[in-house]
Amino acid sequence: MLDAGDFFFNGNTVFLDHGQGLVTMYCHLSRIDVAPGDVVPAGRRLGLVGATGRVTGPHLHWGVALNRALVDPALFLPAAGD
């Protein structure tokens, strides 16, 4: 894991470095269950959805950056029906 903490706009946030320039972020968590430096296996809970930071209600904000460029996270999800 790259970093985690409480950020002004994003609230409780986890940043995961997947290697090869791929970084994902998970924002507005009510609780963070991982720490910087942790090796995070697939399926491990990172935290709980919440409403921290500057939000109007609980939700998960998921972001993806590839080689420092923000990209549409839907590109990394399976196609409908798969």
Side-chain angles (χ1 to χ4, degrees):
M1 188 191 49
L2 184 61
D3 197 9
D6 185 4
F7 298 88
F8 183 76
F9 287 106
N10 296 339
N12 291 331
T13 301
V14 171
F15 293 92
L16 292 182
D17 184 347
H18 300 268
Q20 298 184 353
L22 181 65
V23 175
T24 56
M25 75 174 186
Y26 307 83
C27 305
H28 308 301
L29 303 173
S30 64
R31 184 177 85 201
I32 296 173
D33 292 337
V34 292
D38 284 356
V39 174
V40 180
R44 180 169 175 194
R45 182 174 59 207
L46 304 175
L48 299 177
V49 172
T52 60
R54 301 303 174 256
V55 296
T56 58
H59 70 283
L60 175 67
H61 179 114
W62 175 45
V64 177
L66 184 59
N67 297 323
R68 298 185 179 189
L70 294 175
V71 297
D72 183 357
L75 295 171
F76 297 88
L77 297 174
D82 285 353

